[in-house]
Amino acid sequence: MKTKKSQNIQIGFLLLPGILIFGFFTIYPIVKLFITSFFKWDFGSMFDQEFIGFANYKEVLTDPYFHLAFSNSIVYTLVTVPAQMIIGLLIAMLINNINKFSISYRVAYYLPVITSWVIASLVFKYVFNTEGLLNYFLTKVIHLTSGNIHWLDSRWGGMSVAMLLGTWKGIGWNMVVFLAALQTVPKDLYESASLDGAGTIAKFIYVTIPSIKGTILFALVMLTIGGFNVFTSIKMITDGNPGHKTESVLTWMYYKAFSTGEFGYSAALSFIIAVVLGILAVVQFQMMDHSKLD
């Protein structure tokens, strides 16, 4: 019989490789990045960093380009998150109420989720480019316009294309999450509502929504974090153009780090966004806790 102490030692040795890997590749980079945010670290001072305190944070918070990128991320989140949730919930309800070909519909709607962000972004860029497929269809096929429309050459044009892609990519994930939640709602609740004379809309408001509100808030938290982390679509479709007007917080952080070499600025920016997302997550999780108590 092994003693409890020897068992604990054995468990410790089994966990040690995972702990070391997690510490080296996760904890250490975060700590190093936090330290970097207090230094002037750029291409000219790679080996001789100067401690400047909160100067990087001040520079980020007073930078008009950061304000623009932050507002773009907020708009992107406010548009794509409700759109994904509403459309995903409607599709989930439709699939939940059919018997034939339900698996085929699930696969069809989930395919965009597993499609590569890079490939999807390049396809959208090709479609909405000035010389792209959509302009060809509008000018040459149906003759709706006499000249090409510059979809990606303005701030809101480029952001609209990125938001359209983000919504399209996220509908399938929401559909799967909400479909799983809908299948746990007791049928007796709908039958009781029908006996009370409730129609389809009344059942949705008074039965469906209260029964899956925990799932709704979970999806809201995850999608909000994902909205603020938008990077690939913006990078591939507009690359921040024109004039950095379509930057998100992550693409702007990438630009400042790897194009201008301002690593201290980028480190400070990353922690500012982490704090913002942390506050949002806490608020939303508090909402989830209150919903469980209701």
Side-chain angles (χ1 to χ4, degrees):
M1 293 291 292
K2 293 183 179 180
T3 64
K4 186 175 182 180
K5 183 178 180 180
S6 63
Q7 288 179 341
N8 291 337
I9 293 174
Q10 185 178 9
I11 293 173
F13 276 115
L14 291 173
L15 294 176
L16 185 60
I19 294 173
L20 291 176
I21 292 173
F22 178 75
F24 185 77
F25 290 102
T26 303
I27 302 300
Y28 172 75
I30 293 175
V31 174
K32 181 65 175 177
L33 190 68
F34 182 68
I35 295 172
T36 301
S37 68
F38 296 101
F39 286 82
K40 181 183 179 183
W41 192 338
D42 52 32
F43 287 145
S45 59
M46 292 292 288
F47 302 103
D48 186 23
Q49 298 87 30
E50 177 187 356
F51 180 79
I52 57 176
F54 289 95
N56 284 323
Y57 290 90
K58 181 179 178 181
E59 183 180 357
V60 172
L61 295 174
T62 57
D63 186 357
Y65 285 106
F66 168 73
H67 297 163
L68 187 63
F70 189 75
S71 64
N72 285 341
S73 296
I74 291 177
V75 171
Y76 180 92
T77 303
L78 290 176
V79 171
T80 59
V81 170
Q84 293 176 63
M85 293 181 68
I86 292 171
I87 299 174
L89 178 57
L90 291 176
I91 293 173
M93 292 178 64
L94 290 173
I95 294 177
N96 192 47
N97 290 324
I98 62 175
N99 296 321
K100 294 183 178 180
F101 307 112
S102 62
I103 296 178
S104 300
Y105 286 124
R106 296 182 202 180
V107 172
Y109 282 110
Y110 198 75
L111 278 176
V113 180
I114 60 176
T115 303
S116 167
W117 271 103
V118 174
I119 294 174
S121 299
L122 290 175
V123 170
F124 269 66
K125 183 176 181 178
Y126 170 72
V127 170
F128 289 95
N129 201 14
T130 304
E131 304 295 333
L133 184 62
L134 181 58
N135 276 326
Y136 175 81
F137 179 77
L138 294 176
T139 57
K140 304 297 183 182
V141 178
I142 63 175
H143 306 288
L144 187 63
T145 61
S146 58
N148 291 338
I149 301 174
H150 300 271
W151 302 100
L152 304 178
D153 293 344
S154 65
R155 178 189 180 188
W156 295 118
M159 288 300 300
S160 296
V161 174
M163 289 187 289
L164 181 63
L165 171 58
T167 302
W168 175 74
K169 281 274 292 174
I171 289 173
W173 182 85
N174 285 271
M175 179 269 297
V176 170
V177 171
F178 288 132
L179 184 60
L182 289 171
Q183 291 176 346
T184 64
V185 180
K187 301 295 183 183
D188 295 343
L189 296 178
Y190 291 107
E191 294 174 359
S192 299
S194 298
L195 292 174
D196 292 336
T200 302
I201 297 177
K203 290 179 184 178
F204 176 75
I205 295 174
Y206 297 108
V207 178
T208 304
I209 295 299
S211 299
I212 65 170
K213 60 183 177 181
T215 302
I216 292 174
L217 288 171
F218 166 76
L220 180 62
V221 172
M222 301 304 295
L223 293 174
T224 300
I225 295 173
F228 269 90
N229 285 329
V230 60
F231 175 80
T232 306
S233 57
I234 299 291
K235 185 66 178 175
M236 300 300 298
I237 295 174
T238 67
D239 198 18
N241 296 314
H244 300 296
K245 291 182 179 179
T246 58
E247 299 277 9
S248 67
V249 288
L250 290 193
T251 59
W252 180 242
M253 180 174 64
Y254 180 91
Y255 172 81
K256 295 294 285 187
F258 298 106
S259 294
T260 67
E262 299 179 56
F263 297 105
Y265 176 103
S266 299
L269 192 157
S270 68
F271 276 95
I272 289 173
I273 298 305
V275 170
V276 171
L277 290 178
I279 294 172
L280 287 175
V282 168
V283 171
Q284 291 172 330
F285 277 120
Q286 288 293 327
M287 294 171 58
M288 290 179 64
D289 291 337
H290 286 307
S291 70
K292 293 176 182 178
L293 296 174
D294 293 341

